[in-house]
Amino acid sequence: QVQLVESGGGLVQAGGSLRLSCAASGRTLGAYVMGWFRQAEGKERDSVAGITWSGGSTYYADSVKGRFTISRDKAKNVMYLQMNSLKPEDTAAYYCAAGRGWETTFRSSYWGQGTQVTVSS
């Protein structure tokens, strides 16, 4: 089992920044791909970014490329999402996940409870 706990969400003005954290506990993450997803009200959950826990390879949704950065601290067992130049359309509940696969083939085995990000215009 892997437990994931997100933090760092909040209210920010357009153009501002936030850093989300996902603290992981339980079994080792070495074989997992970790991902950030978001779900706006009334919409489906979409992939935002992913990273291989072991090697640190990354991918991003086109909508966040150049603005968001995913990273992980293996010593602390924490994954981050640095979000810059935030836009109102980034408003959503953000979830972290651990699973297998890459980009469109990613399938999560574990989810966090989510953290809300609200970007005001």
Side-chain angles (χ1 to χ4, degrees):
Q1 291 289 328
V2 175
Q3 291 78 43
L4 304 172
V5 179
E6 303 96 334
S7 62
L11 174 64
V12 64
Q13 288 188 331
S17 298
L18 281 175
R19 188 176 80 159
L20 305 183
S21 299
C22 174
S25 60
R27 64 187 303 175
T28 180
L29 296 174
Y32 285 102
V33 175
M34 303 291 292
W36 285 101
F37 291 74
R38 66 186 181 186
Q39 187 169 18
E41 190 170 349
K43 296 189 177 181
E44 294 185 352
R45 189 171 297 187
D46 292 327
S47 174
V48 175
I51 187 168
T52 58
W53 188 260
S54 58
S57 297
T58 61
Y59 66 84
Y60 296 93
D62 288 343
S63 58
V64 306
K65 281 180 182 176
R67 300 189 298 123
F68 291 11
T69 302
I70 189 171
S71 63
R72 86 278 190 250
D73 186 326
K74 296 170 71 174
K76 295 182 178 179
N77 253 24
V78 178
M79 177 177 66
Y80 302 101
L81 186 68
Q82 178 66 44
M83 306 186 294
N84 298 329
S85 303
L86 282 162
K87 305 175 181 180
E89 51 263 44
D90 295 317
T91 295
Y94 283 71
Y95 300 87
C96 67
R100 315 282 184 181
W102 195 248
E103 293 190 272
T104 58
T105 67
F106 178 86
R107 295 295 179 268
S108 63
S109 299
Y110 304 99
W111 288 99
Q113 84 289 349
T115 186
Q116 179 67 34
V117 171
T118 302
V119 184
S120 63
S121 58

